mmCIF file of all heavy atoms in Angstrom:
data_model
loop_
_atom_site.group_PDB
_atom_site.id
_atom_site.type_symbol
_atom_site.label_atom_id
_atom_site.label_comp_id
_atom_site.label_asym_id
_atom_site.label_seq_id
_atom_site.Cartn_x
_atom_site.Cartn_y
_atom_site.Cartn_z
ATOM 1 N N LEU A 127 99.010 -50.239 41.218
ATOM 2 C CA LEU A 127 99.843 -51.418 41.011
ATOM 3 C C LEU A 127 100.147 -51.614 39.535
ATOM 4 O O LEU A 127 101.259 -51.991 39.153
ATOM 5 C CB LEU A 127 99.144 -52.656 41.572
ATOM 6 C CG LEU A 127 99.904 -53.978 41.493
ATOM 7 C CD1 LEU A 127 101.208 -53.896 42.279
ATOM 8 C CD2 LEU A 127 99.045 -55.121 42.001
ATOM 9 N N ALA A 128 99.135 -51.342 38.685
ATOM 10 C CA ALA A 128 99.339 -51.518 37.243
ATOM 11 C C ALA A 128 100.336 -50.515 36.682
ATOM 12 O O ALA A 128 101.070 -50.805 35.736
ATOM 13 C CB ALA A 128 97.996 -51.393 36.516
ATOM 14 N N SER A 129 100.339 -49.311 37.250
ATOM 15 C CA SER A 129 101.214 -48.261 36.716
ATOM 16 C C SER A 129 102.584 -48.215 37.408
ATOM 17 O O SER A 129 103.485 -47.499 36.960
ATOM 18 C CB SER A 129 100.525 -46.893 36.873
ATOM 19 O OG SER A 129 100.295 -46.613 38.247
ATOM 20 N N LYS A 130 102.739 -48.960 38.452
ATOM 21 C CA LYS A 130 104.009 -48.912 39.205
ATOM 22 C C LYS A 130 105.064 -49.786 38.527
ATOM 23 O O LYS A 130 104.808 -50.913 38.127
ATOM 24 C CB LYS A 130 103.762 -49.392 40.632
ATOM 25 C CG LYS A 130 104.996 -49.305 41.511
ATOM 26 C CD LYS A 130 104.669 -49.733 42.934
ATOM 27 C CE LYS A 130 105.890 -49.646 43.828
ATOM 28 N NZ LYS A 130 105.583 -50.067 45.221
ATOM 29 N N THR A 131 106.242 -49.274 38.391
ATOM 30 C CA THR A 131 107.337 -50.017 37.761
ATOM 31 C C THR A 131 108.174 -50.699 38.837
ATOM 32 O O THR A 131 108.669 -50.054 39.762
ATOM 33 C CB THR A 131 108.235 -49.068 36.952
ATOM 34 O OG1 THR A 131 107.435 -48.396 35.980
ATOM 35 C CG2 THR A 131 109.360 -49.829 36.279
ATOM 36 N N MET A 132 108.277 -52.005 38.707
ATOM 37 C CA MET A 132 109.073 -52.765 39.668
ATOM 38 C C MET A 132 110.465 -52.997 39.071
ATOM 39 O O MET A 132 110.637 -53.081 37.853
ATOM 40 C CB MET A 132 108.389 -54.099 39.973
ATOM 41 C CG MET A 132 106.997 -53.952 40.567
ATOM 42 S SD MET A 132 106.213 -55.533 40.880
ATOM 43 C CE MET A 132 107.319 -56.197 42.114
ATOM 44 N N SER A 133 111.455 -53.112 39.888
ATOM 45 C CA SER A 133 112.828 -53.256 39.403
ATOM 46 C C SER A 133 113.607 -54.227 40.265
ATOM 47 O O SER A 133 113.135 -54.649 41.320
ATOM 48 C CB SER A 133 113.526 -51.887 39.410
ATOM 49 O OG SER A 133 113.551 -51.358 40.730
ATOM 50 N N GLY A 134 114.799 -54.568 39.750
ATOM 51 C CA GLY A 134 115.733 -55.370 40.517
ATOM 52 C C GLY A 134 115.228 -56.769 40.793
ATOM 53 O O GLY A 134 114.564 -57.415 39.993
ATOM 54 N N ALA A 135 115.561 -57.231 42.015
ATOM 55 C CA ALA A 135 115.248 -58.610 42.408
ATOM 56 C C ALA A 135 113.749 -58.862 42.456
ATOM 57 O O ALA A 135 113.296 -59.973 42.156
ATOM 58 C CB ALA A 135 115.878 -58.897 43.773
ATOM 59 N N GLN A 136 112.959 -57.830 42.838
ATOM 60 C CA GLN A 136 111.517 -58.015 42.899
ATOM 61 C C GLN A 136 110.950 -58.347 41.525
ATOM 62 O O GLN A 136 110.120 -59.236 41.375
ATOM 63 C CB GLN A 136 110.848 -56.749 43.442
ATOM 64 C CG GLN A 136 111.106 -56.511 44.925
ATOM 65 C CD GLN A 136 110.376 -55.284 45.446
ATOM 66 O OE1 GLN A 136 110.054 -54.390 44.676
ATOM 67 N NE2 GLN A 136 110.142 -55.257 46.731
ATOM 68 N N THR A 137 111.418 -57.625 40.500
ATOM 69 C CA THR A 137 110.943 -57.873 39.145
ATOM 70 C C THR A 137 111.319 -59.278 38.682
ATOM 71 O O THR A 137 110.501 -60.007 38.111
ATOM 72 C CB THR A 137 111.528 -56.835 38.182
ATOM 73 O OG1 THR A 137 111.185 -55.521 38.630
ATOM 74 C CG2 THR A 137 111.025 -57.046 36.767
ATOM 75 N N GLN A 138 112.546 -59.684 38.925
ATOM 76 C CA GLN A 138 112.997 -61.006 38.507
ATOM 77 C C GLN A 138 112.204 -62.108 39.210
ATOM 78 O O GLN A 138 111.816 -63.101 38.602
ATOM 79 C CB GLN A 138 114.494 -61.159 38.785
ATOM 80 C CG GLN A 138 115.372 -60.224 37.953
ATOM 81 C CD GLN A 138 116.837 -60.347 38.313
ATOM 82 O OE1 GLN A 138 117.205 -61.130 39.194
ATOM 83 N NE2 GLN A 138 117.696 -59.581 37.647
ATOM 84 N N HIS A 139 111.985 -61.903 40.513
ATOM 85 C CA HIS A 139 111.233 -62.906 41.266
ATOM 86 C C HIS A 139 109.803 -63.022 40.740
ATOM 87 O O HIS A 139 109.272 -64.133 40.570
ATOM 88 C CB HIS A 139 111.232 -62.514 42.750
ATOM 89 C CG HIS A 139 110.451 -63.461 43.612
ATOM 90 N ND1 HIS A 139 110.865 -64.750 43.875
ATOM 91 C CD2 HIS A 139 109.259 -63.296 44.265
ATOM 92 C CE1 HIS A 139 109.980 -65.348 44.646
ATOM 93 N NE2 HIS A 139 108.992 -64.480 44.902
ATOM 94 N N LEU A 140 109.179 -61.882 40.453
ATOM 95 C CA LEU A 140 107.817 -61.892 39.946
ATOM 96 C C LEU A 140 107.756 -62.547 38.572
ATOM 97 O O LEU A 140 106.853 -63.348 38.289
ATOM 98 C CB LEU A 140 107.279 -60.465 39.869
ATOM 99 C CG LEU A 140 105.840 -60.301 39.361
ATOM 100 C CD1 LEU A 140 104.864 -61.066 40.227
ATOM 101 C CD2 LEU A 140 105.451 -58.831 39.306
ATOM 102 N N GLN A 141 108.698 -62.226 37.715
ATOM 103 C CA GLN A 141 108.720 -62.821 36.388
ATOM 104 C C GLN A 141 108.905 -64.333 36.458
ATOM 105 O O GLN A 141 108.295 -65.075 35.681
ATOM 106 C CB GLN A 141 109.830 -62.187 35.547
ATOM 107 C CG GLN A 141 109.549 -60.747 35.154
ATOM 108 C CD GLN A 141 110.702 -60.107 34.416
ATOM 109 O OE1 GLN A 141 111.827 -60.620 34.448
ATOM 110 N NE2 GLN A 141 110.446 -58.986 33.749
ATOM 111 N N ALA A 142 109.744 -64.780 37.374
ATOM 112 C CA ALA A 142 109.955 -66.219 37.528
ATOM 113 C C ALA A 142 108.671 -66.915 37.974
ATOM 114 O O ALA A 142 108.331 -67.999 37.493
ATOM 115 C CB ALA A 142 111.079 -66.472 38.538
ATOM 116 N N GLU A 143 107.950 -66.286 38.881
ATOM 117 C CA GLU A 143 106.698 -66.868 39.340
ATOM 118 C C GLU A 143 105.671 -66.921 38.213
ATOM 119 O O GLU A 143 104.953 -67.913 38.046
ATOM 120 C CB GLU A 143 106.132 -66.061 40.517
ATOM 121 C CG GLU A 143 106.897 -66.253 41.814
ATOM 122 C CD GLU A 143 106.202 -65.579 42.987
ATOM 123 O OE1 GLU A 143 105.210 -64.862 42.749
ATOM 124 O OE2 GLU A 143 106.649 -65.782 44.126
ATOM 125 N N ILE A 144 105.590 -65.834 37.446
ATOM 126 C CA ILE A 144 104.647 -65.800 36.326
ATOM 127 C C ILE A 144 104.971 -66.888 35.312
ATOM 128 O O ILE A 144 104.082 -67.601 34.823
ATOM 129 C CB ILE A 144 104.667 -64.407 35.661
ATOM 130 C CG1 ILE A 144 104.094 -63.355 36.625
ATOM 131 C CG2 ILE A 144 103.870 -64.415 34.360
ATOM 132 C CD1 ILE A 144 104.186 -61.933 36.108
ATOM 133 N N GLN A 145 106.244 -67.040 34.984
ATOM 134 C CA GLN A 145 106.654 -68.050 34.015
ATOM 135 C C GLN A 145 106.330 -69.452 34.521
ATOM 136 O O GLN A 145 105.868 -70.318 33.759
ATOM 137 C CB GLN A 145 108.148 -67.919 33.733
ATOM 138 C CG GLN A 145 108.645 -68.863 32.643
ATOM 139 C CD GLN A 145 110.114 -68.639 32.320
ATOM 140 O OE1 GLN A 145 110.776 -67.829 32.961
ATOM 141 N NE2 GLN A 145 110.637 -69.354 31.333
ATOM 142 N N GLN A 146 106.550 -69.678 35.817
ATOM 143 C CA GLN A 146 106.252 -70.984 36.384
ATOM 144 C C GLN A 146 104.755 -71.288 36.306
ATOM 145 O O GLN A 146 104.352 -72.402 35.941
ATOM 146 C CB GLN A 146 106.732 -71.030 37.838
ATOM 147 C CG GLN A 146 106.510 -72.393 38.499
ATOM 148 C CD GLN A 146 106.984 -72.394 39.943
ATOM 149 O OE1 GLN A 146 107.356 -71.363 40.486
ATOM 150 N NE2 GLN A 146 106.978 -73.554 40.573
ATOM 151 N N GLN A 147 103.934 -70.282 36.620
ATOM 152 C CA GLN A 147 102.490 -70.480 36.554
ATOM 153 C C GLN A 147 102.046 -70.724 35.109
ATOM 154 O O GLN A 147 101.160 -71.556 34.861
ATOM 155 C CB GLN A 147 101.766 -69.250 37.117
ATOM 156 C CG GLN A 147 101.942 -69.044 38.614
ATOM 157 C CD GLN A 147 101.279 -70.152 39.426
ATOM 158 O OE1 GLN A 147 100.285 -70.724 39.009
ATOM 159 N NE2 GLN A 147 101.845 -70.449 40.590
ATOM 160 N N GLN A 148 102.629 -70.015 34.156
ATOM 161 C CA GLN A 148 102.277 -70.221 32.751
ATOM 162 C C GLN A 148 102.627 -71.623 32.293
ATOM 163 O O GLN A 148 101.866 -72.271 31.565
ATOM 164 C CB GLN A 148 102.991 -69.182 31.885
ATOM 165 C CG GLN A 148 102.429 -67.771 32.030
ATOM 166 C CD GLN A 148 103.195 -66.759 31.199
ATOM 167 O OE1 GLN A 148 104.324 -67.003 30.810
ATOM 168 N NE2 GLN A 148 102.573 -65.609 30.939
ATOM 169 N N GLN A 149 103.797 -72.110 32.697
ATOM 170 C CA GLN A 149 104.200 -73.460 32.322
ATOM 171 C C GLN A 149 103.253 -74.503 32.897
ATOM 172 O O GLN A 149 102.872 -75.465 32.209
ATOM 173 C CB GLN A 149 105.639 -73.724 32.786
ATOM 174 C CG GLN A 149 106.691 -72.918 32.034
ATOM 175 C CD GLN A 149 108.078 -73.093 32.617
ATOM 176 O OE1 GLN A 149 108.261 -73.692 33.678
ATOM 177 N NE2 GLN A 149 109.086 -72.571 31.912
ATOM 178 N N MET A 150 102.873 -74.314 34.155
ATOM 179 C CA MET A 150 101.936 -75.256 34.771
ATOM 180 C C MET A 150 100.594 -75.238 34.055
ATOM 181 O O MET A 150 99.984 -76.282 33.797
ATOM 182 C CB MET A 150 101.751 -74.903 36.257
ATOM 183 C CG MET A 150 102.989 -75.130 37.108
ATOM 184 S SD MET A 150 102.772 -74.559 38.820
ATOM 185 C CE MET A 150 101.407 -75.601 39.333
ATOM 186 N N LEU A 151 100.125 -74.024 33.713
ATOM 187 C CA LEU A 151 98.837 -73.903 33.039
ATOM 188 C C LEU A 151 98.886 -74.525 31.650
ATOM 189 O O LEU A 151 97.971 -75.251 31.243
ATOM 190 C CB LEU A 151 98.437 -72.432 32.945
ATOM 191 C CG LEU A 151 97.081 -72.149 32.291
ATOM 192 C CD1 LEU A 151 95.957 -72.842 33.044
ATOM 193 C CD2 LEU A 151 96.826 -70.652 32.229
ATOM 194 N N GLN A 152 99.961 -74.267 30.898
ATOM 195 C CA GLN A 152 100.092 -74.845 29.571
ATOM 196 C C GLN A 152 100.128 -76.363 29.637
ATOM 197 O O GLN A 152 99.551 -77.055 28.785
ATOM 198 C CB GLN A 152 101.355 -74.301 28.894
ATOM 199 C CG GLN A 152 101.264 -72.834 28.516
ATOM 200 C CD GLN A 152 102.572 -72.291 27.977
ATOM 201 O OE1 GLN A 152 103.574 -73.016 27.927
ATOM 202 N NE2 GLN A 152 102.564 -71.017 27.588
ATOM 203 N N SER A 153 100.796 -76.884 30.652
ATOM 204 C CA SER A 153 100.863 -78.328 30.812
ATOM 205 C C SER A 153 99.472 -78.919 31.048
ATOM 206 O O SER A 153 99.101 -79.945 30.462
ATOM 207 C CB SER A 153 101.795 -78.678 31.976
ATOM 208 O OG SER A 153 101.798 -80.073 32.220
ATOM 209 N N GLU A 154 98.680 -78.243 31.903
ATOM 210 C CA GLU A 154 97.326 -78.718 32.174
ATOM 211 C C GLU A 154 96.447 -78.611 30.938
ATOM 212 O O GLU A 154 95.619 -79.489 30.657
ATOM 213 C CB GLU A 154 96.706 -77.919 33.324
ATOM 214 C CG GLU A 154 97.296 -78.238 34.688
ATOM 215 C CD GLU A 154 97.068 -79.695 35.063
ATOM 216 O OE1 GLU A 154 95.946 -80.192 34.884
ATOM 217 O OE2 GLU A 154 98.026 -80.335 35.528
ATOM 218 N N GLU A 155 96.613 -77.519 30.176
ATOM 219 C CA GLU A 155 95.811 -77.351 28.959
ATOM 220 C C GLU A 155 96.138 -78.434 27.944
ATOM 221 O O GLU A 155 95.235 -78.987 27.302
ATOM 222 C CB GLU A 155 96.069 -75.964 28.375
ATOM 223 C CG GLU A 155 95.494 -74.834 29.223
ATOM 224 C CD GLU A 155 95.973 -73.470 28.757
ATOM 225 O OE1 GLU A 155 96.823 -73.436 27.847
ATOM 226 O OE2 GLU A 155 95.500 -72.455 29.296
ATOM 227 N N GLN A 156 97.414 -78.749 27.787
ATOM 228 C CA GLN A 156 97.804 -79.788 26.850
ATOM 229 C C GLN A 156 97.278 -81.150 27.292
ATOM 230 O O GLN A 156 96.827 -81.953 26.478
ATOM 231 C CB GLN A 156 99.326 -79.818 26.713
ATOM 232 C CG GLN A 156 99.902 -78.579 26.015
ATOM 233 C CD GLN A 156 101.410 -78.553 26.039
ATOM 234 O OE1 GLN A 156 102.060 -79.464 26.572
ATOM 235 N NE2 GLN A 156 102.005 -77.500 25.460
ATOM 236 N N ARG A 157 97.326 -81.379 28.593
ATOM 237 C CA ARG A 157 96.812 -82.661 29.107
ATOM 238 C C ARG A 157 95.311 -82.779 28.859
ATOM 239 O O ARG A 157 94.803 -83.828 28.467
ATOM 240 C CB ARG A 157 97.106 -82.770 30.603
ATOM 241 C CG ARG A 157 96.711 -84.120 31.201
ATOM 242 C CD ARG A 157 97.159 -84.196 32.657
ATOM 243 N NE ARG A 157 96.427 -83.257 33.470
ATOM 244 C CZ ARG A 157 95.235 -83.534 34.026
ATOM 245 N NH1 ARG A 157 94.670 -84.711 33.819
ATOM 246 N NH2 ARG A 157 94.638 -82.638 34.776
ATOM 247 N N LEU A 158 94.594 -81.666 29.077
ATOM 248 C CA LEU A 158 93.153 -81.663 28.870
ATOM 249 C C LEU A 158 92.822 -81.875 27.400
ATOM 250 O O LEU A 158 91.923 -82.640 27.052
ATOM 251 C CB LEU A 158 92.565 -80.339 29.352
ATOM 252 C CG LEU A 158 91.047 -80.177 29.187
ATOM 253 C CD1 LEU A 158 90.310 -81.241 29.973
ATOM 254 C CD2 LEU A 158 90.615 -78.790 29.622
#
Side-chain angles (χ1 to χ4, degrees):
L127 182 61
S129 62
K130 183 177 180 180
T131 303
M132 300 179 64
S133 60
Q136 289 183 336
T137 303
Q138 295 177 0
H139 178 70
L140 180 59
Q141 290 176 344
E143 287 187 353
I144 293 175
Q145 185 176 4
Q146 182 181 7
Q147 292 294 330
Q148 288 178 340
Q149 291 174 352
M150 292 175 61
L151 182 59
Q152 290 174 358
S153 176
E154 288 298 315
E155 290 170 355
Q156 292 173 0
R157 185 175 67 86
L158 179 61

